[in-house]
């Protein structure tokens, strides 16, 4: 008695694609699999890939088969490609897992084929999308202005500095997100104003600036040391700004120690010789200390914060000792 030849189990391909990549921009293996498949199925009539697949001559049947129906469709060695919805087809994948685990069904080969991948920075697209919806639908966010949000930018910046100095990685990640939110929020507001601009315009501006100020990276200039890089940066920045004064662009509203250090660094980088005021008073003493700190390469704000934290710890220790003695 001759044995009947085994029936090939076929192949199921779950073709995924990132919603952060423009529809139709699929990898070559994805297009090759789609063209060679015996059947392509999609249960979502609004799937963003459908118009592009049809334009490319790929026939897609609108169907949401059960796991068993999908296995049966692969009988005889057929290849069936399934386009999952954006949320994924959990019911189908769970059903396939149960069939495979039962041991009673000859399962087709199951392949997960990413048709496109997220590039670095792709989640920023999600942030822009979320911010757009919040601006449109949230009663509080929809009425915010640049002026009303300004204080939050300052607060979040200080919280970021604190996270950096604390060394807490989780806190650093969170605070960086909060600072990024301020940028995206302000850019979204700017879309609604006179002379509007978007987050893409903001990104384009800083990209252009970075490329222009790094000729040693994107151009033909050479920079072998950090000092060479700083020289390139200052020279390029001066040519861009065409400022009337070396104090132009120094915000007077910044913390006083940082302001004093910044003015001192501007003088040091210029051909000017401007001695520090010799007037008596604590303010002038602090100005001298800030200038000396800047000249030595020490951030006076960071140095004072570090000293203040040591003093705070001493206060906490004294309080603890006081409570212990009372007990």
């Amino acid at each position: 008695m001759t044995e009947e030849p085994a029936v090939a189990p076929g192949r199921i391909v779950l073709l995924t694609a990132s919603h952060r990549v423009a529809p139709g921009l699929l990898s070559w293996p994805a297009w090759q699999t789609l063209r060679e498949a015996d059947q392509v199925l999609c249960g979502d009539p609004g799937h963003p890939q459908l118009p592009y697949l049809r334009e490319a001559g790929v026939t897609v049947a609108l169907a949401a088969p059960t796991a068993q129906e999908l296995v049966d469709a692969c009988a005889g060695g057929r290849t069936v490609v399934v386009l999952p919805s954006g949320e994924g087809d959990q019911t189908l994948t769970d059903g396939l897992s149960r069939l495979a685990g039962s041991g009673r069904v000859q399962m087709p080969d199951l392949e997960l084929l990413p048709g496109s991948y997220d590039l670095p920075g792709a989640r920023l697209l999600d942030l822009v999308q979320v911010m757009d919806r919040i601006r449109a639908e949230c009663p509080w966010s929809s009425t915010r202005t640049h002026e009303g949000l300004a204080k939050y930018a300052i607060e979040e910046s200080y919280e970021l500095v604190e996270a950096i100095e604390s060394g807490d990685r989780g806190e650093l990640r969170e605070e960086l997100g909060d600072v990024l939110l301020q940028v995206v929020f302000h850019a979204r507001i700017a879309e609604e104003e006179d002379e509007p601009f978007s987050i893409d315009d903001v990104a384009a501006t800083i990209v252009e600036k970075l490329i222009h100020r790094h000729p040693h990276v994107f151009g033909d200039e050479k920079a072998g040391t950090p000092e060479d890089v700083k020289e390139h940066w200052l020279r390029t920045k001066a040519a861009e700004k065409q400022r009337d004064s070396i104090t132009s662009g120094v915000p007077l509203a910044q913390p006083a120690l940082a302001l004093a250090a910044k003015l001192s660094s501007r003088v040091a980088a210029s051909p000017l010789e401007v001695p520090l005021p010799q007037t008596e008073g604590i303010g002038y003493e602090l100005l001298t200390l800030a200038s000396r700190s800047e000249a030595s390469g020490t951030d006076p704000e960071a140095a004072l914060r570090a000293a203040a934290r040591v003093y705070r710890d001493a206060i906490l220790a004294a309080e603890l000792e006081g409570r212990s003695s009372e007990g």
Side-chain angles (χ1 to χ4, degrees), residues 96-126:
L96 290 171
S97 296
R98 284 193 296 270
L99 286 178
S102 68
R104 298 190 298 270
V105 178
Q106 185 182 20
M107 293 294 294
D109 294 332
L110 182 60
E111 178 182 349
L112 179 64
L113 177 61
S116 60
Y117 301 84
D118 285 343
L119 296 174
R123 293 308 301 270
L124 294 175
L125 299 176
D126 291 344

Side-chain angles (χ1 to χ4, degrees), residues 294-319:
E294 171 65 26
S296 68
T298 301
D299 179 356
E301 283 285 332
L304 182 57
R305 275 196 305 274
R309 281 198 300 273
V310 172
Y311 187 40
R312 179 204 57 187
D313 293 342
I315 294 171
L316 294 173
E319 289 175 335

Side-chain angles (χ1 to χ4, degrees), residues 21-26 48-49 52:
V21 176
L25 297 180
L26 299 175
Q49 299 289 351
Y52 300 92

Side-chain angles (χ1 to χ4, degrees), residues 2-299:
T2 59
E3 293 184 0
E4 295 183 3
V7 178
R11 176 177 171 226
I12 298 172
V13 180
L14 301 179
L15 179 62
T16 63
S18 171
H19 67 280
R20 304 178 190 94
V21 176
L25 297 180
L26 299 175
S27 64
W28 170 245
W31 280 115
Q32 189 174 35
T33 300
L34 285 165
R35 293 183 183 281
E36 295 176 354
D38 295 290
Q39 194 173 18
V40 180
L41 305 176
C42 180
D44 179 8
H47 198 290
Q49 299 289 351
L50 291 182
Y52 300 92
L53 298 184
R54 289 166 179 157
E55 185 178 350
V58 176
T59 301
V60 182
L62 292 176
T66 64
Q68 185 62 62
E69 290 171 342
L70 189 56
V71 169
D72 293 342
C74 293
R78 291 165 52 86
T79 295
V80 179
V81 176
V82 178
L83 301 178
S85 64
E87 293 75 25
D89 294 334
Q90 190 68 41
T91 301
L92 176 61
T93 54
D94 287 348
L96 290 171
S97 296
R98 284 193 296 270
L99 286 178
S102 68
R104 298 190 298 270
V105 178
Q106 185 182 20
M107 293 294 294
D109 294 332
L110 182 60
E111 178 182 349
L112 179 64
L113 177 61
S116 60
Y117 301 84
D118 285 343
L119 296 174
R123 293 308 301 270
L124 294 175
L125 299 176
D126 291 344
L127 174 58
V128 172
Q129 185 178 41
V130 168
M131 186 69 252
D132 188 63
R133 182 171 179 181
I134 289 174
R135 178 67 174 175
E137 300 180 18
C138 173
W140 185 86
S141 299
S142 62
T143 59
R144 295 307 95 190
T145 63
H146 294 302
E147 294 76 12
L149 290 175
K151 64 178 182 180
Y152 298 110
I154 297 173
E155 291 175 5
E156 297 299 352
S157 296
Y158 277 124
E159 290 180 10
L160 172 59
V161 171
E162 186 173 352
I164 292 172
E165 294 178 344
S166 72
D168 187 316
R169 300 289 294 175
E171 186 178 355
L172 174 59
R173 175 178 174 177
E174 181 178 350
E175 297 303 338
L176 282 169
D178 289 342
V179 171
L180 179 59
L181 170 60
Q182 301 305 309
V183 176
V184 175
F185 203 161
H186 280 282
R188 178 60 182 81
I189 294 171
E191 292 183 30
E192 306 168 5
E193 300 175 322
D194 295 336
E195 300 182 20
F197 59 82
S198 69
I199 189 66
D200 288 318
D201 298 313
V202 173
T205 300
I206 190 60
V207 166
E208 181 180 354
K209 180 186 292 186
L210 287 173
I211 291 175
H212 185 59
R213 292 188 184 177
H214 288 79
H216 54 290
V217 175
F218 301 98
D220 298 328
E221 292 199 34
K222 305 297 182 183
T225 67
E227 289 73 24
D228 292 339
V229 174
K230 185 175 182 180
E231 182 182 344
H232 284 320
W233 180 276
L234 292 175
R235 186 172 63 250
T236 306
K237 187 175 181 180
E240 288 175 355
K241 299 295 184 181
Q242 295 293 313
R243 288 171 170 155
D244 297 328
S245 168
I246 61 171
T247 65
S248 298
V250 178
L252 295 177
Q254 64 181 302
L257 278 177
L259 171 61
K262 189 66 175 179
L263 291 172
S264 179
S265 70
R266 286 288 181 91
V267 171
S270 76
L272 298 175
E273 292 185 8
V274 184
L276 294 171
Q278 298 301 312
T279 309
E280 293 185 1
I282 188 66
Y284 296 98
E285 293 177 21
L286 290 172
L287 175 61
T288 300
L289 288 172
S291 179
R292 189 200 311 167
S293 176
E294 171 65 26
S296 68
T298 301
D299 179 356

